[in-house]
Each structure stands twice: as C-alpha cells, then as structure tokens.
Amino acid sequence: MHIAIFVENRNGVDLAGKIMQAEGAGEHTFSVITADLEGNVARWIRDEAAVRLGGIPARNLFNEGEALDDGAFYEELSLRVVAFVEEKGVDRVVLFNDQSQRGKRVTQALNPRLPVVLVQDGHLDFHYKEQRAGQRDQNWYYGSSAPAAICVWGPATYNHINFRSSQVSTQVHITGALGHSDDAALLQAARSGIHRPPTSDDSRLRFIVLDQPLGDQRKLSVREHRLHLKEICEALTAYGDVDVKPHPSSLPQHLKWLETLPDVTVQSAEALLDAAALQSYDLAVTYFSTTYLQTLRAGVPLVLVNPLPLNIVFPTIHHPLLRSVGSAGELTDVVSRLKSTGKFLANTHGEPIEHYLTFSEDVAEQILRVVENAELPAPVSTVASGAEEASRGESGGAAQLTLAERAFLAVQKRADRPKSLAVLGAGFSYVTGVAVPVLTYTQSLLAESPVDVRYFDIAAFTRPDDLAAALGGAEVIMVNSLALFWRSPIGNATVQALIDSGRNVALYAHETEYVFNWEANRVPERHQEMLNILPKLKVLCVSKAQADMFRQLGVVDPIVVYNTVPRDSHRKIASRTPSASPRIVMVGTVQDRKGVDLFSRVAEKAHSLGLPWRFSWIGWKTPRVGEKSLLSDRVEWMGALSRDRVREELAASDVFFLSSVDDPMPLSVVEAVQHRLRVATFDRVGSREVLQGVPGYRSFAEYTPEAALEALREVLSDEVSEAGYQEVEELFDIPAFTTRMTTALGLQMGGSTVGTAGVGTVAEEAGDSEDGTEEESPFAAALVQQVRFLTEDFVEHFKAGRDEDALRVGAEILRRRQPADVVIGMAEIRARRGEKAAALSLLAALACVGGTRSWAWSEIARVAGLLGPEGRAVYRMARREALRIKLANRAARSGARR
C-alpha cells in the first residue's frame, strides 16, 4: 500500500516519522509531500525530514518563487495533489489539519478519490464563554471536511466531532496522541500529585511567558492583546525575571512591538522549548496552548490566563501543576503565593487530563491500522438514520421495521434524558483507588454520549451556598465516596441542601463496615448526619454485600454497578505454572485495614515452615499502622510504584494475596485477574462474590495466619481457569461498566462504541439548538477560589503595600462574605488615599459584622482617626463602645471567678 503524508510544518514531519516507524509500516511505501511557494517552510521541512524520515525526502509540490497569487496557488494545489496521487499510485493520504488553507484544498480535492485520514496534532477541545452565531474558531470545525477517518487524542475531541452534527459519515477513532500518549514520562507526570518548589536560589523567580498570536489570528484586537500581555509581564516583573517566547507564527509587527516591553527578555520565535528547556523556570504563563504537556513533563507549574475579552477558554484541568485564571490580577495572587510560600495554588476543580489525552503505548500502530482499513465514506445523503442503522443485519441491508418498533424508536428519540453530570468528591487523583473508577467511567462516557461532565472538589468551597451555586447547571450530581461526608465540614449540609431543592443526587459508595466504624468513632456527629441523609439518596454500590449493608442503613433500593479500572496498554500474562520459589504479592497502602499484620505473620509462618515463598508488598506506608501491627523483615516492602511498574510486578508474581480485612470490591484484584494471576482473599472481601468457584481463586473464612496460609497452599496447586477469569474481566471492562453506570444515573446514552462515530438520534439531540446556535454548557468556564485563599492573598498584598491588588481581592471577598480583617484593611487603604466616604462605608460594615467585639471597635476608632474632621464623631463613638465592651467582659470574667 502506498501512503502519502501531507505536512505543513516541522511538527508534521515528526508525526509522519512516528507513523512510518510503527510496527508493520515496513509493508508499505511512504511519500511525504508539502506545498510552499516562498521556500522557507519547504526548507525547514526538508531539513527536518533529513533527520527524522530515514532517507525518505519531503517533496514540495511547487517550485520556489513560482509566480502565483494566493487564489491561483490554492487552485493549483488542488490540481497538483491529485496529479501526484494518480502518478504515484497512492492508496491512502494522511494529513494533520483539514481546516488550514492548504489542508482544506487537499481534502476537497482528494476526499472523493481515495481514503483520507486526519490525525489530530494539537489540543482542540476549547470552550467558549459565549456561543455566537456565525463563524467560530477554526478548531471548532476540525474534521468537518468528511475524511474517511479521524484519529483523535481522547474522548473530549471525539465527543465534539461525533456530536457536532447529526449528519456524520466519518469514523472517529480514539488513538491517543503521537509523542504524548505513548510517553511514559508524561503519563507519570499527568498522574502525579507532586509539585516541586521554586528552583531559583536568589530572591527572584524565573518566569516564561508563552505568547500566542491572539491579535494576528483576530481572537482579540491587536490593541487588546498587547494591553493584556503588557499587564501580565508587569505583574511578573515585580517578583522575578521574565522571558517572553513569541509563537512561531507571530507577525513581524508583533515581534517588533515585543522588543519595546520593559524589563523582559524576548526569545526567538523559532526557538523550540521542550521539557528540558522549561525546567530552568519556576512558572510558565500562557493563554491556551498544547504547551501544558511540556510543562507537565518539566514539572513546572503553568498558569493559563483568560482575559475578559477573549472568548475562547482553555478547559479547566484538575492537576497540581495547572491553574486557570481570568486576569492579570489573579495571576498576581498566584505568583505572590508562590514567592512567599513556595506553594503553587493549582486548580481545585476541573476535569482530568484523560478527558483530553488517552494514554497508550501503541499510538502509531493504532493510527497505521486505521489508515490501512480506511474506506471511502458513503455520501452524506445516504447515511442511515439512527433507526435504520439500528435495524441493519449482518448483510448491511436495511431491515423492515414494524409499527411497534418505529413507535418505540420515535419515543426513544424524544426522551428527555439529562445531559450534564457534576461529580462531587473530596479529591480526584489516580494515586488512590477511590477516584479511579469514576475517572475511567467519565472518560468512557464522554466518548460515547453528549453528556457534559465537570468535577468539583469540595475542598475548593467554604459554604454550602457557594457550592450549590456552582452546581446550579448540573442535571445529575454524583457524590463519589462517603469520604465527602466525613472529611468536609460542609459535606453533609451541601448534600442535604441539594436534596431539599429537589436535585437529582446519587452516591457512588466505595466503603464498607470497617471504614464505617472507624469514621463513626473519629467524627461521630458528621457520621450521624450522614446516616440521616443516606435513605434520601440513590446509592450505587460496588458489591452485593455493600448493597446489603446499605439496606440495613435504610437505603430503599441500592443499585450494584461494581466498578472498573483503566485500560493499561500492556497486560503481560503471569506464568501458568508457579515458580520453584513462588512469589506472593500484595498491592495497596500499608495500613491495618489492608491487613499488613496478617500479611507479615503469614510471611513469618511460611518461613518457619521452610516454605520457599517470597512475599512482596507494593504501596506507600500510611500513619494508620498500629503499634502492635507487625511489619515483617520477611516481606519486601517496595513502596509506591507507577502503574506500569505495578503491572510488571503483578505479571512477575505467582499469587495475589489480598490481606485486607474489609474491602468492598478491590481494583487490585481486578488487575490481578487481567494478568491471570492466582488470587487469595478473605471471605468478607467483595471479590469473593464474583470469583467464588473459579479455579485460580481461593478464600479463607477465618481471618488468621493459619487459614490464609492454607488458602495460599491450595491456590498454588490450582490451574487458572481462562474462561472463568475472562468472564470476571468482562464484568469489570469499561464498556460494560459505562453502560451500567449511565443507566443507573439515567443519563443520555450514546448510540455507538468508541472507534465509530454515532449517527442519528443521539447526534441530533446533541447538536445545534433550534435557532442555529450551539447550546451553551450549563457550567461556568471557571470557578472562583476558596475564600480562605483569597483572604490570605489580601493580607499578603496589604502587607506588601500593593494597594490596588489588595482592593481588588478584597472586593471579591466582600462580594461573598465580610471578614473583619479584610474590611478594616480596605478601610485603612481608602482612608490613607483620602477616599473618606468609601472608608466610612467600610467602617459601617465592620460595625455590623463585629459590633460586639472590642477589637472591631478599637480598629474602627484607629482608622477613623485617619479621616480628620469627617471621622471625629465615629472615632469618639468607637472609643466609647470599645471601652464599654472591655469593661463588660472584665466584669463577666470576675463574676465567673466568684
């Protein structure tokens, strides 16, 4: 097969090289082509090709300096690319952008002639503050040229393309991103909860501003772009040294203007900033850019600024190294905190990176398979409706529908199912197992249906009213884990308020009796409040035993949905025959609930019996290890490992010994099953429900070292049942879990599976509104910070004498509440500036907030003294009131002593 790859820049050459190096690529012939009149781009591409394409040249369809204007050039491009594919006998064409000027001409010319495959090469899923009628940003139309197939990075882009139009004939495949999804370093960074402190040795930080061509691309006016960029640089130069890196496509006029910025260093627009180059900076700043992948690799925090006039918004991603702000002022707050404490204030809400980037080790191979199997799409007019598509037999012909079937499909099409889901929890991280199923589920959900998903970390809020307002647009709210009720002071009140207001609230529970009893002793009042709320919720459970427990707590009809795990790219199968010295492994945090004492005592007992067994424990040690719990030297304590390493260790073991005394449905057992590893657990663990009777699994009824050791003996003599393990694996597979969870929540179901674009009813419901404009998301583009953080920012600015920043932050705080220290600080600033009316208004507010406290009246008197004659009356009244309260308090204390 002859495959031609059309490239427009050096990055395209790099992507082409990765495809050409995929396993199986040697069976095909490749050509790399470009189109450039001026010659600079063609020369860059030729130079890159010489390095990356293994001797295959990059051919320019034009000669440098040909006398063609723009119109003639694009017309000639259409003719020449057709002539090239016909002359060379090209079977497939790959390109990376069908919405650029050149990409449009290539797809228009070739789509009717041969299969064209579009491969995503950048972050495309941007949000908009306002959905306007008329032309949208170029990225919104990505993939709309109707190529034979599209390979996208993740479910967010898949979802956008799949449901942008009700007339879809293109197959969309989630393959991941070349050079990103298959990068182990990026995967580790994406799932890491670690932020390194600033690296600068001196008192000044190092900043890099990654500029975007907002004015050149008319996303902002040139004046607005320059104004906001200047504000960003001024905000940063107060705290450190600033480098500005222009975008490679910046026009000469903009580059010349950048040189006029004071106190900044402007880098070359052509310089490539990879992770290694970024590591020397303490903070990076940009607007919206795929650069966030490089900053993650470098471990450098990134702030994404979205000025008010800029309509396009980078989605809020929940990660410790990413922060979205709306102004240079908010950027100042983040930088000030980083400078004073060394801590980066990251987003405390948002979506996981996996919504936009699916991780896989064989991205190039997947793309090559799509290219090999691509076929010319059917004309749009012949695309079947949802009902016709559902009724096709294996022969591909349309079967005749009965009247009853047509009536049902008509009702199904009009069914009003929720299309927005808010996931509320006490943290979302792949580090702990509690968040893994819901993160995996929503990633799959986005790839199959038009449901808008947002994550809300309750730690970002201090009042139930603020959180309820943020959740205002969500049709379904899912509380992930009972931890929210126990650990947050507003958890119970928030969920109760949502229920009282008639909201659709579901709980996805992961805990059972051991955790219940532990938390009941730790926070008895919150635990009791939670028990009062449980019967009012729809409860989703991970096991039947857990559902029985909730029934005893008053839940009327708990639903068992089980759980799921991410699809890791490699699943090496464990040895079918145990080794001469069997290795027994446990995966989980080192704590009493996980059975660290039992695991250790089994290891000691096996050693005393002369058994050649090796014991290993993978997981980080927690403080929840009792003084009497044994940590045996016969166990290899391996600490926390990456997911890939865990997979490797499982495959290199003989038995997975889950020593937990109580675990509703452990994900580690599911992963062990995927590796066909023998498994032994306690009877009360949820895994017994699905594995009991399957050869390769044994459980022990008594929680003793003797019983556990006997179960290990027995399971080592078992032959793992492939059929039994396969059935369990299918139960926990992502598509099956997604269907169960979506049905239980009553959300909009998709009509297709990952890899094939859906057509018909779902797409029609998720498309444009009746007036022709796209429906707006029910969620805000960004959420404000927790008030506590804002108060700390105010104090920092006030002490440093940054009055404008202090007033700005203070006004935001007063919009929601009126803490006395912020009010008095703002009043003092106004008084020093001679703004007497504003100062008196703030003092009046302080009197209302803290009128019974002598400190408040003393502060009112102090600030009133700065106002001259206008404040004299307030000064006298406040002094008298402060003295009265002090005397009253003193008398009350004396009476109490008597």
Side-chain angles (χ1 to χ4, degrees):
M1 182 179 290
H2 189 167
I3 302 171
I5 305 178
F6 182 77
V7 299
E8 300 183 65
N9 49 42
R10 287 181 291 190
N11 184 56
V13 177
D14 180 40
L15 299 178
K18 289 181 169 63
I19 295 173
M20 294 161 61
Q21 294 163 14
E23 184 177 345
E27 301 174 6
H28 306 293
T29 301
F30 288 91
S31 296
V32 177
I33 57 175
T34 189
D36 180 45
L37 273 182
E38 297 180 356
N40 289 332
V41 173
R43 281 195 295 273
W44 295 334
I45 289 175
R46 281 197 300 271
D47 293 343
E48 197 77 9
V51 176
R52 300 189 181 276
L53 300 187
I56 296 178
R59 174 176 171 177
N60 187 1
L61 297 177
F62 292 82
N63 296 317
E64 184 177 342
E66 286 189 54
L68 297 170
D69 59 21
D70 284 349
F73 168 73
Y74 292 122
E75 183 178 346
E76 189 66 21
L77 172 58
S78 300
L79 298 174
R80 294 191 188 188
V81 74
V82 170
F84 177 84
V85 299
E86 290 179 348
E87 175 191 349
K88 300 296 183 181
V90 174
D91 301 290
R92 304 284 190 275
V93 170
V94 176
L95 78 162
F96 305 106
N97 190 346
D98 68 335
Q99 295 304 304
S100 65
Q101 292 289 341
R102 292 170 174 82
K104 282 182 179 180
R105 298 317 192 278
V106 171
T107 54
Q108 289 170 2
L110 297 182
N111 276 346
R113 290 175 168 80
L114 77 169
V116 176
V117 178
L118 177 63
V119 177
Q120 182 180 348
D121 73 335
H123 187 103
L124 299 175
D125 191 79
F126 300 111
H127 298 169
Y128 296 88
K129 296 173 184 172
E130 179 184 352
Q131 300 291 356
R132 308 183 182 114
Q135 191 77 5
R136 294 180 173 86
D137 182 81
Q138 170 183 302
N139 290 324
W140 194 90
Y141 299 93
Y142 185 87
S144 62
S145 62
I150 307 174
C151 298
V152 299
W153 284 14
T157 306
Y158 175 97
N159 185 54
H160 172 72
I161 294 174
N162 200 14
F163 298 104
R164 179 178 51 203
S165 169
S166 61
Q167 298 293 329
V168 180
S169 59
T170 299
Q171 287 197 327
V172 185
H173 304 261
I174 298 177
T175 59
L178 286 165
H180 299 304
S181 297
D182 44 13
D183 183 352
L186 179 60
L187 173 61
Q188 184 176 3
R191 293 180 176 173
S192 171
I194 300 171
H195 160 236
R196 65 171 173 81
T199 56
S200 299
D201 296 329
D202 56 16
S203 59
R204 293 180 66 78
L205 300 177
R206 288 203 68 206
F207 305 108
I208 178 75
V209 178
L210 305 164
D211 191 22
Q212 294 288 311
L214 304 182
D216 300 342
Q217 295 178 357
R218 300 182 181 179
K219 291 180 173 67
L220 287 178
S221 70
V222 172
R223 179 181 175 279
E224 287 174 327
H225 178 202
R226 293 178 178 178
L227 175 65
H228 288 289
L229 183 58
K230 185 177 180 181
E231 288 180 349
I232 287 173
C233 292
E234 289 174 349
L236 295 174
T237 51
Y239 298 91
D241 301 321
V242 180
D243 288 359
V244 177
K245 167 62 175 65
H247 192 272
S249 65
S250 299
L251 296 178
Q253 306 93 293
H254 183 66
L255 296 177
K256 186 175 180 180
W257 175 82
L258 287 175
E259 297 292 345
T260 67
L261 288 173
D263 303 322
V264 303
T265 301
V266 180
Q267 297 189 3
S268 168
E270 300 304 324
L272 296 177
L273 280 182
D274 56 10
L278 287 166
Q279 284 178 342
S280 63
Y281 295 98
D282 298 304
L283 183 74
V285 181
T286 191
Y287 297 99
F288 54 91
S289 171
T290 313
T291 308
Y292 77 98
L293 299 173
Q294 296 292 8
T295 60
L296 287 180
R297 287 186 179 95
V300 175
L302 173 68
V303 177
L304 295 135
V305 183
N306 182 256
L308 185 61
L310 185 60
N311 192 40
I312 191 169
V313 182
F314 193 89
T316 303
I317 296 179
H318 188 195
H319 192 277
L321 289 176
L322 297 175
R323 174 65 188 274
S324 300
V325 302
S327 66
E330 289 182 60
L331 171 64
T332 300
D333 301 337
V334 176
V335 175
S336 172
R337 180 64 55 83
L338 182 66
K339 182 73 166 57
S340 60
T341 68
K343 296 180 179 179
F344 178 65
L345 287 179
N347 292 324
T348 53
H349 52 270
E351 300 156 83
I353 291 175
E354 280 81 353
H355 279 196
Y356 306 98
L357 189 67
T358 296
F359 290 98
S360 174
E361 287 186 341
D362 59 345
V363 177
E365 286 74 20
Q366 290 187 54
I367 291 174
L368 185 60
R369 286 195 293 272
V370 172
V371 174
E372 292 170 340
N373 298 323
E375 297 180 355
L376 280 173
V380 171
S381 60
T382 65
V383 175
S385 68
E388 293 169 340
E389 187 72 16
S391 65
R392 289 189 186 278
E394 292 184 1
S395 63
Q400 194 68 30
L401 294 176
T402 67
L403 290 174
E405 289 170 336
R406 291 179 184 176
F408 170 72
L409 288 172
V411 173
Q412 187 181 50
K413 180 178 177 179
R414 301 303 304 166
D416 184 17
R417 296 185 181 90
K419 296 179 185 176
S420 58
L421 170 67
V423 184
L424 178 61
F428 300 99
S429 167
Y430 276 92
V431 176
T432 58
V434 169
V436 169
V438 72
L439 292 172
T440 306
Y441 162 64
T442 51
Q443 180 182 356
S444 176
L445 176 68
L446 284 171
E448 295 185 11
S449 69
V451 175
D452 192 1
V453 180
R454 294 290 186 272
Y455 285 85
F456 294 85
D457 191 333
I458 198 168
F461 301 87
T462 54
R463 298 193 308 166
D465 291 348
D466 295 336
L467 179 51
L471 296 170
E475 296 167 283
V476 178
I477 300 163
M478 180 169 69
V479 178
N480 185 51
S481 170
L482 293 165
L484 174 142
F485 297 98
W486 293 317
R487 296 175 190 169
S488 170
I490 68 170
N492 286 288
T494 297
V495 176
Q496 184 63 61
L498 292 169
I499 294 170
D500 292 343
S501 61
R503 306 296 294 279
N504 185 348
V505 186
L507 165 70
Y508 184 30
H510 303 268
E511 299 82 3
T512 52
E513 291 181 31
Y514 184 98
V515 176
F516 254 66
N517 296 333
W518 191 85
E519 294 288 359
N521 292 325
R522 189 180 70 88
V523 284
E525 292 183 2
R526 292 183 188 175
H527 184 77
Q528 186 57 50
E529 289 177 2
M530 181 202 67
L531 294 179
N532 296 334
I533 293 173
L534 281 179
K536 306 172 187 177
L537 293 170
K538 176 190 289 186
V539 178
L540 311 179
C541 302
V542 298
S543 70
K544 294 177 182 177
Q546 188 190 50
D548 289 339
M549 182 193 73
F550 278 107
R551 286 191 186 94
Q552 297 172 21
L553 294 172
V555 176
V556 177
D557 187 22
I559 304 170
V560 179
V561 294
Y562 296 107
N563 54 17
T564 190
V565 293
R567 277 197 189 99
D568 289 306
S569 54
H570 60 285
R571 294 185 186 176
K572 186 178 179 181
I573 301 302
S575 173
R576 296 183 65 86
T577 305
S579 63
S581 55
R583 187 187 189 207
I584 298 166
V585 66
M586 165 65 179
V587 178
T589 51
V590 179
Q591 58 173 299
D592 286 343
R593 183 174 72 85
K594 296 289 186 180
V596 61
D597 183 74
L598 178 71
F599 194 86
S600 293
R601 295 190 187 281
V602 171
E604 292 285 348
K605 191 170 186 62
H607 177 74
S608 68
L609 294 174
L611 297 173
W613 295 357
R614 296 169 294 144
F615 289 81
S616 300
W617 186 301
I618 301 170
W620 57 281
K621 184 179 179 181
T622 73
R624 298 179 184 178
V625 178
E627 294 181 0
K628 297 181 179 180
S629 297
L630 177 65
L631 293 175
S632 172
D633 293 337
R634 306 296 176 190
V635 176
E636 179 188 13
W637 303 99
M638 302 184 69
L641 302 178
S642 67
R643 284 190 62 84
D644 286 347
R645 276 290 310 281
V646 171
R647 290 289 197 176
E648 292 171 5
E649 298 297 335
L650 286 173
S653 302
D654 297 288
V655 180
F656 182 79
F657 171 27
L658 184 82
S659 53
S660 299
V661 64
D662 174 84
D663 220 329
M665 189 58 72
L667 299 178
S668 53
V669 172
V670 179
E671 293 173 341
V673 166
Q674 291 173 343
H675 288 280
R676 301 301 185 261
L677 193 62
R678 293 165 179 81
V679 178
T681 76
F682 183 40
D683 268 359
R684 290 177 56 185
V685 169
S687 306
R688 181 172 177 267
E689 293 179 12
V690 295
L691 280 168
Q692 185 67 15
V694 177
Y697 170 78
R698 295 298 175 101
S699 64
F700 45 97
E702 296 180 4
Y703 195 74
T704 63
E706 294 76 17
L709 188 139
E710 185 58 30
L712 291 172
R713 280 185 193 270
E714 294 172 355
V715 82
L716 277 168
S717 64
D718 274 355
E719 182 77 20
V720 170
S721 168
E722 174 61 30
Y725 269 44
Q726 178 67 33
E727 188 175 355
V728 173
E729 184 176 351
E730 290 173 354
L731 174 66
F732 292 93
D733 200 19
I734 297 172
F737 177 75
T738 299
T739 301
R740 292 194 300 270
M741 181 67 87
T742 303
T743 302
L745 293 172
L747 292 168
Q748 175 71 64
M749 295 278 286
S752 61
T753 58
V754 175
T756 304
V759 295
T761 58
V762 175
E764 288 169 3
E765 291 179 12
D768 292 348
S769 59
E770 293 182 0
D771 63 357
T773 60
E774 186 186 9
E775 295 177 359
E776 291 191 33
S777 165
F779 298 100
L783 295 174
V784 293
Q785 275 185 267
Q786 189 176 5
V787 172
R788 175 172 58 85
F789 293 148
L790 289 172
T791 304
E792 293 172 3
D793 292 338
F794 173 83
V795 173
E796 179 71 23
H797 293 316
F798 180 77
K799 288 181 177 179
R802 295 187 291 271
D803 291 351
E804 290 297 338
D805 288 323
L807 290 173
R808 172 182 52 78
V809 175
E812 175 61 28
I813 295 171
L814 299 188
R815 190 175 63 82
R816 285 172 281 168
R817 50 184 293 191
Q818 292 185 336
D821 51 350
V822 172
V823 176
I824 196 65
M826 294 181 69
E828 183 175 338
I829 292 173
R830 298 295 187 190
R832 290 200 307 264
R833 290 182 166 189
E835 299 171 5
K836 298 178 180 180
L840 288 171
S841 296
L842 288 165
L843 293 179
L846 180 60
C848 297
V849 172
T852 59
R853 294 184 291 122
S854 61
W855 173 86
W857 286 108
S858 296
E859 288 297 292
I860 290 173
R862 179 179 65 81
V863 175
L866 303 175
L867 298 175
E870 289 86 346
R872 194 167 297 149
V874 175
Y875 170 81
R876 292 171 180 168
M877 179 190 69
R879 285 290 302 272
R880 287 196 302 269
E881 190 63 15
L883 180 60
R884 184 189 66 77
I885 294 172
K886 286 180 181 178
L887 292 174
N889 290 341
R890 190 177 303 164
R893 287 193 295 269
S894 298
R897 285 194 293 269
R898 294 193 189 97

